[in-house]
């Protein structure tokens, strides 16, 4: 009798253990995976690199008891064909949502078609597709900033600086001779920034406009050529991003141009190096491109798109666009931005 009771108790204990293990496994299995595929036009671009690092941190902070978030990041190195292949690879690997910084914002039909065929939402960032492409499907989104705003702010910063520092006009002819370093031919930000410079009531004379592809080394080379051509006539350098502004500064420093003949430099983006340059008075000012806000919006949107969650709290424009405002950075407030970066 005792033996029978003992055997019954052992069977019950074993059943309880099996039940516990089974429940435990069920809880583990219930934790689902979110796989985010990211591809960027050029990860060597300083701003893009900083934005992606911030995005990774934001996604890590979204990990919950129900989901694990994993991510693959690929670099198209400026090639749209390479980016098309990367998107196809990530789709085949089972990604739930794509985040794409386009290599060519005018050539994205292959990407959109592949995403639609596989029902995978896309969040485009930093390089804005044209409306016609973005409106092809209700699961296409854009996160970034309004290019026109950065151009307007940069123009206002320049106008204020010149009004407060008449010595910028080194030759005293009543006009400011300037050069522009553009990111790339046909890029929407470059076009808007350049055009907006004409609307700030300054007497200015454009000496040259050079394409430096958002790259510091290329900007240094272009600026070296311009210095050779225009000597000490350049009074102002307007760059479409901080990296190119810093490249222009590099050119003057390498050539050992005396301080009295060095022009004033303005950038855009508020990268770590750009903010440091404003602190050191190498850059007169820059325009802050809110990578923290953009990364946060991308992470939230990717999470909701992958899980089918409600997007009612996302601040869309036209149900597609999430824009984060630019901010002016000057020597008076640069320390606040540096503090926020840390």
């Amino acid at each position: 009798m005792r033996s029978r009771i003992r055997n019954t108790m052992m069977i019950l204990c074993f059943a309880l253990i099996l039940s516990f293990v089974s429940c435990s496994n069920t809880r583990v299995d219930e934790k689902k995976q979110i796989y985010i595929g990211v591809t960027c036009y050029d990860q060597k671009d300083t701003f893009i690199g900083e934005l992606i690092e911030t995005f990774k941190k934001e996604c890590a902070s979204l990990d919950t008891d129900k989901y694990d978030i994993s991510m693959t990041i690929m670099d198209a190195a400026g090639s749209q064909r390479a980016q098309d292949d990367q998107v196809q690879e990530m789709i085949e690997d089972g990604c739930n949502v794509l985040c794409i910084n386009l290599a060519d914002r005018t050539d994205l039909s292959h990407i959109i078609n592949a995403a639609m065929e596989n029902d995978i939402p896309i969040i485009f960032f930093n390089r804005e597709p044209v409306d016609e492409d973005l409106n092809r499907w209700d699961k296409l989104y854009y996160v970034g900033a309004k290019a026109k705003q950065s151009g307007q702010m940069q123009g206002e910063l320049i106008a204020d600086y010149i009004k407060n520092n008449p010595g910028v006009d080194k030759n005293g002819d009543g006009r400011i001779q300037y050069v522009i370093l553009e990111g790339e031919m046909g890029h929407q930000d470059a076009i808007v920034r350049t055009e907006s410079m004409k609307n700030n009531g300054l007497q200015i004379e454009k000496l040259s406009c050079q394409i430096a592809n958002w790259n510091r080394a290329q900007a240094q080379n272009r600026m070296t050529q311009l210095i050779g051509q225009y000597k000490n006539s350049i009074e102002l350098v307007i760059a479409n991003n901080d990296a190119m502004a810093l490249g222009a500064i590099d050119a003057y420093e390498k050539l050992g141009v005396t301080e009295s003949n060095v022009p004033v430099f303005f950038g855009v983006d508020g990268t770590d190096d750009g903010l440091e340059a404003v602190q050191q008075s190498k850059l007169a000012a820059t325009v802050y491109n809110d990578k923290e806000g953009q990364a946060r919006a991308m992470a939230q949107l990717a999470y909701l798109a992958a899980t089918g969650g409600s997007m009612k709290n996302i601040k869309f424009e036209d149900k597609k666009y999430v824009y984060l405002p630019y901010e002016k950075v000057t020597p008076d407030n640069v320390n606040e931005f540096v503090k926020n970066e840390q």
Side-chain angles (χ1 to χ4, degrees), residues 74-110:
M74 295 187 177
D75 185 351
S79 168
Q80 188 57 55
R81 178 172 293 182
Q83 191 166 66
D84 291 348
D85 292 341
Q86 290 170 356
V87 167
Q88 191 62 48
E89 180 181 341
M90 288 187 287
I91 289 175
E92 291 172 358
D93 286 344
C95 73
N96 303 110
V97 59
L98 288 161
C99 295
I100 300 176
N101 168 233
L102 287 164
D104 184 349
R105 61 185 290 267
T106 66
D107 184 17
L108 63 163
S109 59
H110 177 85

Side-chain angles (χ1 to χ4, degrees), residues 313-340:
N313 292 325
I314 301 290
K315 296 181 180 179
F316 284 116
E317 289 191 22
D318 298 327
K319 300 181 181 180
K320 292 276 185 182
Y321 302 86
V322 179
Y323 292 116
L324 282 298
Y326 285 98
E327 296 180 76
K328 297 178 184 178
V329 181
T330 68
D332 293 332
N333 67 357
V334 64
N335 289 336
E336 298 174 17
F337 289 90
V338 171
K339 189 182 298 183
N340 290 336

Side-chain angles (χ1 to χ4, degrees), residues 240-257:
N240 286 166
N241 75 348
D242 289 344
M244 293 188 296
L246 295 172
I249 294 170
D250 293 340
Y252 277 91
E253 291 181 346
K254 186 174 182 179
L255 292 172
V257 177

Side-chain angles (χ1 to χ4, degrees), residues 162-198:
I162 292 173
K163 289 173 184 176
N164 293 322
N165 299 273
V168 176
D169 184 11
K170 298 180 186 297
N171 62 13
D173 67 351
R175 294 178 297 173
I176 304 300
Q177 280 74 36
Y178 72 99
V179 299
I180 293 180
L181 296 173
E182 287 192 343
E184 64 188 68
M185 187 70 69
H187 189 278
Q188 78 273 20
D189 288 15
I191 293 170
V192 174
R193 287 173 188 163
T194 301
E195 290 179 347
S196 69
M197 294 304 305
K198 302 173 183 177

Side-chain angles (χ1 to χ4, degrees), residues 147-164:
K148 186 175 182 179
Q149 186 183 48
S150 70
Q152 289 171 337
M153 286 187 175
Q154 191 182 52
E156 291 165 1
L157 286 166
I158 293 170
D160 289 343
Y161 186 92
I162 292 173
K163 289 173 184 176
N164 293 322

Side-chain angles (χ1 to χ4, degrees), residues 268-279:
V268 170
D269 276 343
T271 60
D272 294 344
D273 288 342
L275 295 176
E276 183 179 355
V278 175
Q279 286 181 312

Side-chain angles (χ1 to χ4, degrees), residues 37-102:
V38 181
T39 173
C40 60
Y41 96 98
D42 185 356
Q43 207 167 347
K44 293 179 182 178
D45 181 301
T46 304
F47 177 77
I48 295 300
E50 292 180 4
L51 173 59
I52 288 176
E53 284 303 310
T54 309
F55 176 59
K56 286 162 62 177
K57 293 176 184 177
E58 289 292 337
C59 286
S61 71
L62 288 178
D63 281 356
T64 68
D65 292 336
K66 291 184 178 180
Y67 295 97
D68 275 331
I69 298 176
S70 61
M71 186 181 305
T72 294
I73 299 171
M74 295 187 177
D75 185 351
S79 168
Q80 188 57 55
R81 178 172 293 182
Q83 191 166 66
D84 291 348
D85 292 341
Q86 290 170 356
V87 167
Q88 191 62 48
E89 180 181 341
M90 288 187 287
I91 289 175
E92 291 172 358
D93 286 344
C95 73
N96 303 110
V97 59
L98 288 161
C99 295
I100 300 176
N101 168 233
L102 287 164

